[in-house]
Amino acid sequence: MKNIRDIVENEGVSLTPQRLAIIQFLDGNRTHPTVDDIYKDVKSQYPTISKATVYSTLRLLCDVGAVQELSIRKRGEACFDPCTEVHHHFLCRKCDRGFDISVDLYDKSDIIQSIDSYGHRVEDVHSYFYGVCSDCIQNK
């Protein structure tokens, strides 16, 4: 997985202290944080930061391919994933935690084969799975 800062610097993006704080929060973060999660964390370091700055920085990071925006949460709240490699996501309906699922569905999926049979070409697959995580199952 590439370092977010390296990707951003290669794109020639200037790194303000606020942008750098957002990047540092996201880099290697596997919790799929929301804008509010990021804002709360960075605000402790930079009390004058606005949510607009967090939104614009996240949009910039998505545009340069450094993070991906996920719409896994049903209530419409976007979350962000610094892992831009192809992978899938599982969301626990009880604790609302998201997990990365690294399974290659491209070659093994009947759905993909069906789409291919219509003459279409699938280039990317991102799947969202919903259920109950092992921790929640054990803690019934």
Side-chain angles (χ1 to χ4, degrees), residues 3-140:
N3 179 295
I4 296 173
R5 185 175 179 162
D6 291 342
I7 294 168
V8 170
E9 286 178 342
N10 286 340
E11 292 292 325
V13 174
S14 64
L15 290 176
T16 65
Q18 292 88 351
R19 283 181 179 171
L20 191 54
I22 293 167
I23 289 168
Q24 288 171 336
F25 177 81
L26 286 170
D27 210 7
N29 188 319
R30 304 302 278 193
T31 65
H32 308 94
T34 64
V35 170
D36 286 338
D37 296 332
I38 298 164
Y39 175 70
K40 287 174 191 169
D41 184 81
V42 175
K43 189 163 179 64
S44 67
Q45 254 183 309
Y46 295 94
T48 60
I49 195 168
S50 68
K51 260 194 189 177
T53 298
V54 176
Y55 276 109
S56 65
T57 300
L58 290 169
R59 180 58 33 228
L60 174 69
L61 294 175
C62 287
D63 289 348
V64 298
V67 300
Q68 61 176 319
E69 182 176 347
L70 306 177
S71 56
I72 191 169
R73 289 184 165 79
K74 295 272 185 181
R75 61 184 177 271
E77 187 177 28
C79 52
F80 296 86
D81 189 349
C83 180
T84 57
E85 298 164 359
V86 174
H87 66 286
H88 313 283
H89 296 90
F90 175 86
L91 182 70
C92 178
R93 293 183 191 271
K94 287 194 174 215
C95 67
D96 204 39
R97 287 185 302 158
F99 301 89
D100 289 340
I101 306 294
S102 296
V103 175
D104 180 13
L105 297 179
Y106 183 78
D107 290 330
K108 299 176 180 137
S109 169
D110 290 338
I111 294 170
I112 301 301
Q113 291 175 14
S114 175
I115 292 169
D116 287 346
S117 73
Y118 285 100
H120 307 301
R121 182 181 65 217
V122 175
E123 295 178 344
D124 202 2
V125 176
H126 293 272
S127 300
Y128 295 150
F129 300 93
Y130 299 91
V132 180
C133 73
S134 60
D135 289 343
C136 288
I137 289 170
Q138 290 176 3
N139 295 327
K140 279 186 179 180

